[in-house]
DNA sequence: ATCTAAAAG
């Protein structure tokens, strides 16, 4: 066993509970650990069990909902144990496996653990599995919770499962695991005083603005974190805030620095929030819910909370997603407030009345499993070949509606992944192996049959990266840096445009500058390149044609896109719409016809019958 | 004329 390095593990609240934890683990197959932020649960639990000999017969897996967390926490643990990453301590995330035979403590994303259990359902290499941050209720964590419940029955003698959560829903999880013990570990957070508005503001941007200025003029030093719903609001807020601060009387208050923060910001701009405020300067960070859990901004003492969040929800009766601005939950509101109390006591300004918080807000955010299409998860579970399992009766912590499960089965049936009796088909098995949504994996398989696999791989990869093509108008051409023209899809729609974009980048030898010259996110393009590699590797064993890019052969004839279009229509057969002749709109094709309006630009001409469209979301 | 939160394989 490695001895602690001189820098050693810091003394954290959890250290005092070591014996208690070990005794509970010893006596129970599953335990729940409630640990607030600052309790040290993410870094210490694994080390405690390692010290106490639980790694003699296998490794400890610790899952995280996010890649960055898996990497950064494992780095810290490796440092505390005085070893290099990849030795006793390692991590595994998509595209990056930093583990070896020596690895005893392995941090991984919950998605990676699900992939592992696809090829190794008993997860025999692990003696302990810790599901960390279970309160976030990511889709993958919820699936894992169900799988763990089954697994501990099969491996009662040699597997320990720990579920850790920050909030107090421990009883619910404990009930799910037939009343297992719940241990509480206090954290180190400071009190946050909450202030409520008397009314809901009619314009929450204006209201946030006033609150922020008020703080700036009246309050002691300390950064301000302002929660908004999206990029648009953030940009508006940033410019208005800068303008108002400019207009304040010279010398009446300290300097100010206003920073936007959201997920689509290029990384170099995101990290700006990690450098502390200059002397005599207050920072205003205007953020989406990234700042709620994913990114922690140090130095925040004041929080302004508009009480809303953008949430994507799936409607199983129409088979479509919508992105809506909805009220946050009480848990979410408290999480936002907590961001003001990380370094010292803070204040949180809630732009809604206390009665709304009490009576209108939901107790907790609706878990993702109840807001998303379950086609992918159901296919995954089917491919595990679990004995005696009826998907409609799978034991979930919060079961999705029957309607949603039936929708998933119908969707899978429509794309040949399961048969009439609900059995997974050969096509379905192949699909489950691909790290893609079922519609896209079905597209790949069809493309393989039609002889356009290479093109489809590219489209699937770029779609996975969710690249946004910003519409820049001609008047944006001012300034030195001219945005260069992107391929336009030659009238074949957005999928082909994405294909052409990736092929052009390939011809530019994957130069990052090509991306910035064309106003594309380097991060997203690199991601699609990685995905493409991963997909072609997986599909190699069934590939009937070349999988590498074929764009370099010069342009003797016009490229052929008909087959690709056909493959897409098979994959998205459940999400097609047809243009209405003589009308400016579309209606869905299928068992239930619905008028739709295209907002996601996935335009295709198909099947010789006129104009058709593959949708991922709609309005109306 | 209209628009996308965040996260994962």
């Amino acid at each position: 066993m490695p001895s602690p390095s001189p820098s050693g593990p810091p003394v954290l609240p959890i250290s005092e509970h070591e014996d208690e934890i070990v005794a509970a683990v010893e006596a129970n197959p599953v335990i729940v650990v409630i640990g607030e932020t600052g309790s040290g649960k993410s870094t210490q639990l694994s080390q405690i069990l390692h010290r106490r000999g639980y790694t003699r017969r296998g490794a400890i897996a610790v899952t995280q909902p996010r890649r960055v967390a898996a990497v950064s926490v494992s780095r810290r643990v490796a440092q505390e144990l005085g070893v290099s990453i990849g030795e006793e301590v390692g991590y595994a995330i998509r595209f990056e496996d930093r583990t070896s035979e020596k690895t005893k403590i392995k941090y991984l994303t919950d998605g990676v653990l699900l992939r592992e259990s696809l090829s190794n359902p008993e997860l025999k290499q692990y003696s302990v599995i810790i599901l960390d941050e279970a309160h976030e209720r990511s889709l993958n964590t919820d699936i894992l919770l169900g799988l763990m419940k089954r697994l501990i029955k099969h491996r009662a003698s040699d597997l320990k499962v720990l579920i850790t959560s920050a909030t107090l829903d421990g009883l619910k999880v404990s009930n799910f695991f037939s009343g297992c013990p719940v241990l509480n570990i206090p954290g180190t957070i400071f009190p946050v005083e909450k202030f409520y508005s008397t009314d809901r503001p009619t314009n929450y941007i204006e209201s946030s603005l006033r609150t922020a200025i008020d703080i700036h003029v009246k309050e002691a030093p300390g950064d301000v974190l302002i929660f908004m719903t999206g990029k648009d609001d953030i940009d508006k807020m940033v410019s208005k805030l800068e303008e108002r601060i400019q207009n304040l009387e010279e010398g009446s208050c300290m300097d100010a620095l206003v920073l936007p923060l959201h997920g689509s910001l290029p990384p170099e701009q995101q990290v700006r929030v990690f450098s502390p405020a200059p002397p005599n300067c207050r920072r205003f960070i205007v953020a989406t819910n990234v700042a709620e859990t994913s990114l922690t901004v140090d130095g925040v003492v004041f929080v302004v909370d508009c009480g809303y969040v953008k949430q994507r929800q799936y409607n199983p009766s129409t088979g479509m997603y919508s992105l809506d601005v909805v009220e946050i939950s009480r848990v979410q509101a408290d999480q936002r407030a907590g961001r003001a109390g990380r370094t010292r006591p803070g204040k949180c300004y809630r732009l809604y009345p206390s009665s709304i918080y009490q009576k209108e807000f939901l107790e907790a955010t609706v878990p993702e499993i109840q807001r998303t299409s379950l086609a992918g998860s159901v296919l995954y579970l089917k491919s595990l070949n679990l004995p005696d399992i009826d998907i409609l009766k799978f034991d979930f912590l919060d079961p999705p509606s029957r309607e949603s499960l039936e929708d998933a089965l119908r969707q899978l049936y429509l794309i040949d992944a399961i048969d009439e009796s609900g059995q997974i088909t050969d096509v379905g098995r192949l699909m489950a192996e691909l790290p893609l949504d079922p519609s896209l994996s079905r597209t790949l398989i069809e493309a393989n049959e039609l002889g356009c696999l290479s093109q489809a791989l590219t489209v699937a990869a770029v779609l996975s990266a969710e690249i946004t093509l910003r519409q820049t108008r001609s008047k944006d051409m001012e300034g030195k840096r001219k945005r260069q023209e992107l391929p336009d899809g030659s009238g074949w729609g957005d999928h082909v445009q994405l294909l052409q974009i990736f092929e052009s980048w390939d011809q530019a030898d994957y130069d990052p500058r090509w991306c910035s010259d064309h106003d594309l996110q380097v991060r997203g393009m690199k991601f699609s390149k990685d995905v493409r590699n991963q997909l072609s590797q997986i599909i190699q064993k069934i590939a009937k044609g070349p999988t590498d890019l074929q764009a370099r052969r010069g342009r003797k004839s016009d490229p052929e896109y008909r087959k690709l279009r056909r493959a897409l229509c098979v994959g998205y057969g459940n999400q097609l719409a047809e243009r209405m002749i003589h009308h400016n709109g579309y209606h869905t094709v299928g068992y239930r016809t619905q008028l739709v309006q295209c907002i996601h630009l996935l335009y295709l001409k198909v099947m010789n019958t006129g104009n058709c469209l593959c949708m991922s979301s709609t309005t109306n």
Side-chain angles (χ1 to χ4, degrees):
Chain A
M1 192 192 309
S3 54
S5 68
S7 67
V11 180
L12 285 158
I14 198 167
S15 312
E16 295 163 25
H17 294 74
E18 176 161 339
D19 291 336
E20 190 190 343
I21 291 164
V22 173
V25 170
E26 196 53 43
N28 300 277
V30 188
I31 67 163
V32 176
V33 179
I34 308 293
E36 293 161 0
T37 22
S39 64
K41 61 184 166 59
S42 300
T43 55
Q44 303 306 310
L45 269 178
S46 59
Q47 293 186 66
I48 290 172
L49 297 176
H50 178 47
R51 268 204 300 279
R52 298 298 189 103
Y54 279 92
T55 47
R56 268 182 231 129
R57 295 238 168 99
I60 298 176
V62 190
T63 70
Q64 296 290 330
R66 278 174 296 281
R67 302 157 54 99
V68 276
V71 176
S72 62
V73 179
S74 70
R75 288 222 171 99
R76 204 156 70 231
V77 172
Q79 194 190 358
E80 286 178 12
L81 288 175
V83 300
S84 312
I85 278 289
E87 298 185 332
E88 284 85 352
V89 181
Y91 65 85
I93 59 177
R94 191 180 190 181
F95 312 133
E96 205 183 351
D97 185 351
R98 299 285 301 273
T99 62
S100 63
E101 276 110 59
K102 286 172 74 179
T103 304
K104 291 296 180 192
I105 301 177
K106 177 172 174 181
Y107 285 84
L108 31 57
T109 48
D110 40 26
V112 168
L113 188 61
L114 281 177
R115 285 285 135 190
E116 287 186 358
S117 73
L118 204 52
S119 53
N120 181 4
E122 299 261 283
L123 295 168
K124 278 272 162 63
Q125 67 272 43
Y126 302 119
S127 54
V128 178
I129 295 173
I130 303 176
L131 302 187
D132 201 6
E133 314 290 357
H135 61 277
E136 290 192 22
R137 304 296 307 277
S138 77
L139 177 62
N140 288 337
T141 303
D142 271 19
I143 306 275
L144 281 171
L145 283 170
L147 290 178
M148 288 304 124
K149 190 166 175 177
R150 297 179 65 93
L151 197 54
I152 48 169
K153 285 180 193 143
H154 291 90
R155 293 188 50 193
S157 58
D158 69 337
L159 176 69
K160 298 294 183 185
V161 174
L162 286 80
I163 318 290
T164 85
S165 177
T167 41
L168 299 168
D169 60 352
L171 264 182
K172 183 173 176 179
V173 185
S174 166
N175 285 336
F176 181 69
F177 286 105
S178 45
C180 72
V182 181
L183 303 188
N184 281 286
I185 317 287
T188 49
I189 38 168
F190 297 92
V192 176
E193 197 179 350
K194 283 125 190 158
F195 303 92
Y196 293 90
S197 301
T198 45
D199 290 300
R200 262 281 169 67
T202 44
N203 177 346
Y204 69 77
I205 295 186
E206 185 54 38
S207 175
S208 309
L209 199 55
R210 274 201 307 269
T211 311
I213 294 292
D214 226 43
I215 294 170
H216 191 43
V217 175
K218 293 179 187 156
E219 290 284 356
D223 294 342
V224 186
L225 176 59
I226 303 164
F227 283 102
M228 300 267 101
T229 60
K231 179 179 177 301
D232 257 25
D233 288 352
I234 289 172
D235 290 346
K236 253 183 239 163
M237 182 72 187
V238 167
S239 65
K240 284 189 179 177
L241 197 52
E242 278 172 340
E243 188 191 308
R244 294 272 183 106
I245 291 168
Q246 285 270 308
N247 291 343
L248 289 174
E249 203 180 320
E250 189 84 27
S252 64
C253 50
M254 57 199 303
D255 293 342
L257 179 63
V258 186
L259 296 171
L261 179 61
H262 51 82
S264 47
L265 223 50
E268 63 271 21
Q269 277 196 58
Q270 267 186 29
V271 298
R272 285 173 69 194
V273 303
F274 296 123
S275 31
N280 194 37
C281 180
R282 189 199 301 279
R283 300 191 306 158
F284 292 86
I285 291 116
V286 190
T288 60
N289 41 331
V290 268
E292 222 170 76
T293 47
S294 310
L295 295 174
T296 297
V297 186
D298 283 325
V300 172
V301 179
F302 308 98
V303 162
V304 180
D305 172 18
C306 70
Y308 294 102
V309 69
K310 265 187 195 163
Q311 231 174 40
R312 198 167 84 129
Q313 16 223 8
Y314 182 71
N315 182 343
S317 67
T318 58
M320 286 179 284
Y321 281 99
S322 59
L323 187 68
D324 310 316
V325 174
V326 298
E327 274 175 350
I328 58 174
S329 63
R330 280 196 287 276
V331 168
Q332 223 170 343
D334 295 344
Q335 175 70 24
R336 288 182 176 188
R339 294 274 132 171
R342 295 188 54 88
T343 41
R344 58 188 155 102
K347 290 179 179 176
C348 175
Y349 298 84
R350 292 177 160 164
L351 304 182
Y352 41 87
S354 149
S355 59
I356 294 229
Y357 169 86
Q358 295 293 349
K359 293 178 195 148
E360 214 173 284
F361 284 7
L362 294 174
E363 165 59 23
T365 310
V366 178
E368 194 186 357
I369 199 164
Q370 295 180 342
R371 288 188 283 117
T372 197
S373 164
L374 295 175
S377 304
V378 168
L379 181 61
Y380 171 84
L381 290 172
K382 292 245 178 211
S383 75
L384 285 179
N385 288 329
L386 302 171
D388 63 273
I389 188 180
D390 177 354
I391 293 293
L392 294 175
K393 290 181 192 143
F394 187 79
D395 204 353
F396 293 106
L397 179 57
D398 278 312
S401 67
R402 188 180 175 87
E403 189 190 11
S404 180
L405 285 164
E406 283 174 349
D407 163 73
L409 293 170
R410 191 172 57 239
Q411 304 284 354
L412 291 172
Y413 176 68
L414 283 172
I415 52 176
D416 318 309
I418 59 174
D419 61 23
E420 317 75 48
S421 64
Q423 291 278 323
I424 188 165
T425 61
D426 292 343
V427 168
R429 285 194 188 285
L430 283 168
M431 286 169 56
E433 275 186 59
L434 294 161
L436 292 171
D437 290 333
S439 296
L440 271 179
S441 20
R442 184 65 183 88
T443 300
L444 281 194
I445 286 164
E446 190 66 15
N448 188 35
E449 297 302 321
L450 295 173
C452 57
L453 181 57
S454 168
Q455 288 180 339
L457 281 168
T458 306
V459 173
V462 181
L463 283 179
S464 299
E466 290 177 7
I467 302 239
T468 44
L469 303 174
R470 270 196 299 170
Q471 294 261 34
T472 38
R473 284 186 237 142
S474 48
K475 71 175 177 184
D476 287 344
M477 299 298 258
E478 60 189 313
K480 288 167 201 161
R481 202 174 59 90
K482 262 192 193 174
R483 199 201 69 151
Q484 294 184 19
E485 286 299 315
L486 282 170
D488 62 359
S490 324
W492 288 78
D494 286 16
H495 296 96
V496 168
Q497 184 184 19
L498 295 176
L499 170 63
Q500 291 174 342
I501 288 171
F502 191 88
E503 284 174 344
S504 309
W505 188 42
D506 170 69
Q507 283 182 325
D509 289 318
Y510 301 110
D511 186 348
R513 273 176 316 186
W514 186 92
C515 300
S516 30
D517 286 348
H518 289 80
D519 221 8
L520 293 165
Q521 292 176 21
V522 185
R523 199 177 19 155
M525 292 301 286
K526 278 190 177 148
F527 185 81
S528 31
K529 188 176 169 223
D530 287 337
V531 175
R532 199 184 184 287
N533 284 335
Q534 189 190 23
L535 294 177
S536 41
Q537 233 169 46
I538 295 171
I539 213 158
Q540 211 61 53
K541 62 180 176 200
I542 60 150
K544 296 183 174 175
T547 54
D548 45 332
L549 281 160
Q550 301 152 305
R552 288 168 183 278
R553 293 202 202 128
R555 305 199 172 230
K556 283 177 198 157
S557 58
D558 278 342
E560 163 67 43
Y561 296 122
R562 295 175 59 86
K563 290 173 177 173
L564 173 65
R565 192 172 67 180
R566 199 178 170 83
L568 280 162
C569 284
V570 172
Y572 286 90
N574 51 354
Q575 289 178 66
L576 295 174
E578 194 174 9
R579 171 170 268 170
M580 296 183 291
I581 303 164
H582 305 133
H583 289 275
N584 185 21
Y586 297 81
H587 65 85
T588 56
V589 177
Y591 63 97
R592 197 180 306 179
T593 291
Q594 196 196 2
L595 291 182
V596 290
Q597 186 186 1
C598 172
I599 60 168
H600 201 199
L601 316 166
L602 300 180
Y603 165 68
L604 290 168
K605 289 179 182 168
V606 256
M607 301 189 290
N608 308 320
T609 60
N611 296 329
C612 235
L613 163 93
C614 285
M615 301 159 303
S616 64
S617 58
T618 69
T619 54
N620 295 347

